[in-house]
Amino acid sequence: MNKSEKRRKSTGLFLSLSAVMAVPILVLGIVLVIMGTKSVSEGMELEIQKALASTAREAVAIYSLAYPGEIRMEDERFFMGDTDLTKEYTLLDQIKENTGNEISIFYGDTRMLTTITDDAGERIVHTTSKDPNILSAIQMGNEYYSDRVYINGKYYYGYYVPLKNKDEICGMIFAGMSNESVRDSVSTIITKILIVFIIALLTVVLIASLFAGNIVKTLNQIRTYIGSLAENNFNTKMPVAVLKRTDELGDMGRHAQEVGETLQTLIYKDPLTGLYNRRAGRIELSKYIDLAEASNFRKKVVVALGDIDFFKRINDTYGHDCGDLVLTKLSGIFVKHMDKNGIPIRWGGEEFLLVFKTDYKMAYGLVESMVEEIRKTQFEYEGTTFHVTMTMGITEYKKKESIEEIVKRADDLLYKGKTGGRNQIVEDADNF
């Protein structure tokens, strides 16, 4: 047997052994990619449905509070209570700005108010919903969700909630998100997962003969982590052993962790300020309350609800980019002062909820420091300087109290401060 034949035989044996060891791992990688892709897609859609349901229900509640009374049509004008809402989009646009979702209000099956526009930028009012499944569910008093609602040439994820005059159904509110935008987000996440797995699998093929068992163990740890992400369990940590690896599997773990952080940010963080959004803020506040209850109130919970004074005037005078600058800078002040004493939450628009895990005296002192720094902070935008102030309502959590109750009490105190001149901190009388 000459050297050439020996070389071909040894090469063939190496390839055969490598294939025997690598193929099962390659198959496992493909399964993990499919499972991860499916799990992320399903998890994303579940979160979308929850978010749209929350938006639609909150829109019903907001309009019911803002315009109490009978919903009706008079001379082709749309009324809620005594208010003519025909072409009145301020509140509707604010809901869209806060949630990022499209909103429509229907009287019967006809769209009377909407944030959805056509190619010319005109709102598609006075269009109708022809889907018998939607209309049937709403007439029966049920809410309705679909991942393929066809509106003006586009498909939407849509959630419908009935509108009622007392017990009589008179219309519905729609909250939606375009399928295209969701597909883009899902594709980005899936692409990252695919890249991570491709890198990892190439590495496995190279070192399978020596470290096959270790690689399989590492892949299983990453799979468990990605599975936790798909179940919206962001408390699961990537194992330290994976993150310490200096090979491609370590890269995969770190990239997977980045994907998890990105996904968590998409779901829980306000994209402008980086603070927790309202949904995530409620979850964190609930944790603080549970700790207080479990410690028999040795651990305290204090909340302060704050609102930027005359924020609309800032937007109207300098533009929304300037308003975003103010929101971002104030968020930095909140984070700096709260440090490890609690969390700041963007509650909506120019409202912030500060949740403290300190006693009332310390929390009040921190709020005072924040409000004072805000007063002294000079904002500069396009050569113009200005100052802003905030009004705060602060109160302490009481035993067996719900999140809604403590936030409502803080909101009432905030309202008292707004009507009493603004630029102040209003305390709960029980905390004096």
Side-chain angles (χ1 to χ4, degrees):
M1 184 181 295
N2 57 40
K3 291 183 178 180
S4 177
E5 290 174 337
K6 288 182 178 179
R7 188 180 300 110
R8 285 198 299 270
K9 186 173 181 178
S10 61
T11 302
L13 180 61
F14 173 79
L15 292 176
S16 298
L17 290 174
S18 298
V20 167
M21 300 180 70
V23 166
I25 299 175
L26 179 62
V27 172
L28 175 62
I30 293 172
V31 171
L32 289 175
V33 170
I34 294 172
M35 289 177 58
T37 300
K38 182 179 179 182
S39 298
V40 168
S41 298
E42 290 175 351
M44 178 77 78
E45 180 165 349
L46 179 60
E47 286 303 314
I48 289 170
Q49 181 176 350
K50 290 179 180 179
L52 293 179
S54 175
T55 298
R57 292 167 188 159
E58 287 182 8
V60 171
I62 289 170
Y63 269 86
S64 297
L65 289 173
Y67 308 107
E70 182 183 14
I71 302 171
R72 65 193 187 281
M73 295 292 297
E74 289 183 11
D75 298 327
E76 299 185 352
R77 310 292 293 181
F78 180 58
F79 285 80
M80 280 190 172
D82 297 328
T83 305
D84 181 359
L85 293 181
T86 307
K87 297 184 179 181
E88 174 50 56
Y89 297 107
T90 303
L91 184 55
L92 203 68
D93 289 344
Q94 186 63 55
I95 295 174
K96 176 181 178 179
E97 181 180 346
N98 292 341
T99 64
N101 301 323
E102 302 288 358
I103 309 291
S104 294
I105 299 178
F106 290 78
Y107 184 76
D109 64 350
T110 302
R111 190 177 279 103
M112 306 308 300
L113 298 173
T114 187
T115 60
I116 302 174
T117 59
D118 58 22
D119 293 338
E122 297 295 326
R123 298 177 192 260
I124 58 168
V125 292
H126 304 304
T127 55
T128 59
S129 174
K130 299 297 185 182
D131 190 325
N133 295 321
I134 298 172
L135 300 178
S136 175
I138 294 298
Q139 286 303 315
M140 293 175 65
N142 298 324
E143 299 179 353
Y144 184 86
Y145 169 76
S146 174
D147 61 355
R148 285 184 68 81
V149 179
Y150 189 73
I151 303 173
N152 197 39
K154 294 182 180 179
Y155 284 100
Y156 289 80
Y157 290 86
Y159 201 94
Y160 294 82
V161 175
L163 276 178
K164 298 180 180 179
N165 282 328
K166 296 183 179 178
D167 294 329
E168 181 182 356
I169 294 170
C170 63
M172 56 190 173
I173 283 188
F174 160 86
M177 183 184 299
S178 72
N179 289 31
E180 183 179 353
S181 64
V182 175
R183 280 197 304 270
D184 290 342
S185 298
V186 172
S187 296
T188 300
I189 295 172
I190 291 174
T191 299
K192 289 183 179 181
I193 294 174
L194 288 171
I195 292 172
V196 168
F197 272 100
I198 290 171
I199 294 173
L201 289 172
L202 289 174
T203 305
V204 167
V205 170
L206 292 175
I207 61 175
S209 60
L210 297 175
F211 303 103
N214 191 16
I215 290 172
V216 171
K217 178 182 177 181
T218 302
L219 285 173
N220 284 333
Q221 289 175 320
I222 296 172
R223 180 180 64 176
T224 299
Y225 177 79
I226 293 175
S228 298
L229 295 182
E231 296 172 358
N232 297 322
N233 178 10
F234 296 102
N235 293 321
T236 301
K237 303 296 183 182
M238 182 68 72
V240 175
V242 176
L243 298 176
K244 284 185 175 181
R245 293 182 71 110
T246 58
D247 56 15
E248 288 82 355
L249 286 177
D251 291 339
M252 185 178 82
R254 287 184 287 275
H255 283 305
Q257 182 172 260
E258 291 174 4
V259 170
E261 292 170 354
T262 300
L263 185 60
Q264 183 178 18
T265 298
L266 287 172
I267 296 175
Y268 291 128
K269 294 296 182 72
D270 172 53
L272 175 65
T273 62
L275 304 181
Y276 282 114
N277 59 27
R278 187 180 188 130
R279 178 183 182 277
R282 288 177 60 88
I283 294 173
E284 295 301 313
L285 176 53
S286 178
K287 292 178 183 178
Y288 280 33
I289 289 173
D290 289 343
L291 287 173
E293 297 277 2
S295 68
N296 198 23
F297 295 95
R298 289 190 299 275
K299 295 183 178 180
K300 305 294 184 181
V301 180
V302 179
V303 301
L305 187 63
D307 184 274
I308 303 173
D309 297 328
F310 303 110
F311 186 69
K312 184 178 184 301
R313 185 183 299 171
I314 295 173
N315 280 332
D316 292 344
T317 303
Y318 304 107
H320 288 281
D321 288 344
C322 181
D324 290 347
L325 170 69
V326 172
L327 293 170
T328 303
K329 199 162 187 175
L330 293 190
S331 298
I333 293 174
F334 297 144
V335 171
K336 180 182 71 174
H337 282 271
M338 297 191 76
D339 193 22
K340 297 180 180 180
N341 296 303
I343 55 168
I345 302 159
R346 188 177 181 190
W347 201 242
E350 67 270 25
E351 274 193 336
F352 294 87
L353 186 71
L354 311 180
V355 180
F356 298 90
K357 56 183 177 181
T358 65
D359 58 44
Y360 181 83
K361 182 177 180 181
M362 184 174 182
Y364 185 85
L366 290 170
V367 171
E368 275 191 317
S369 299
M370 285 183 252
V371 170
E372 183 60 28
E373 182 172 343
I374 290 168
R375 292 189 189 114
K376 293 178 179 178
T377 298
Q378 179 173 285
F379 294 86
E380 182 174 347
Y381 184 77
E382 294 185 349
T384 302
T385 60
F386 60 93
H387 291 79
V388 301
T389 60
M390 284 195 74
T391 303
M392 294 271 192
I394 184 169
T395 187
E396 187 171 359
Y397 171 74
K398 298 177 182 178
K399 189 174 182 180
K400 301 298 182 183
E401 192 172 31
S402 69
I403 290 176
E404 287 73 19
E405 288 171 328
I406 186 173
V407 174
K408 174 64 165 58
R409 191 164 64 254
D411 190 41
D412 290 341
L413 294 168
L414 171 61
Y415 179 77
K416 183 178 179 181
K418 285 288 189 180
T419 56
R422 295 181 171 82
N423 189 19
Q424 58 183 302
I425 304 170
V426 182
E427 297 186 78
D428 190 341
D430 292 345
N431 297 125
F432 288 160

